[in-house]
Amino acid sequence: MTILHMLFVIYQMIFAVVTLAILSSAAAERIRLSLFIIFGILWVMLVYEPFAHWLWGKMAFKNECD
C-alpha cells in the first residue's frame, strides 16, 4: 500500500463517518445506542461501501460514462 492509497482510504472513511453523523441527528434520543451502533455497521457495509465502490472503483460507473 502506498501513502496515496492510505490517504484515499482515510478520505473514504471520513465520508462514511459523515453520512452516519447526518443519520444520527435524525435518530438522536429516539433509539438505543446499541441499536444505532448495529445500524451504523450495517449502513456502512451494505449501503455506503457498495455505492462508494461503484462510483470510485477501478471499473467504476464514472469511468464508463467518459
Side-chain angles (χ1 to χ4, degrees):
M1 286 185 136
T2 64
I3 296 292
L4 291 176
H5 185 70
M6 289 302 295
L7 287 175
F8 183 72
V9 169
I10 292 169
Y11 177 77
Q12 287 297 325
M13 286 189 332
I14 289 171
F15 273 104
V17 169
V18 168
T19 58
L20 277 175
I22 292 169
L23 292 172
S24 70
S25 65
E29 298 198 19
R30 293 189 179 100
I31 61 173
R32 289 183 302 203
L33 181 63
S34 59
L35 289 176
F36 184 73
I37 291 172
I38 292 169
F39 171 76
I41 291 169
L42 291 174
W43 172 265
V44 170
M45 289 176 55
L46 299 175
V47 177
Y48 183 82
E49 288 178 4
F51 280 104
H53 183 72
W54 182 49
L55 292 173
W56 300 108
K58 289 183 180 180
M59 300 294 290
F61 178 72
K62 67 176 180 63
N63 293 335
E64 293 176 7
C65 292
D66 293 338

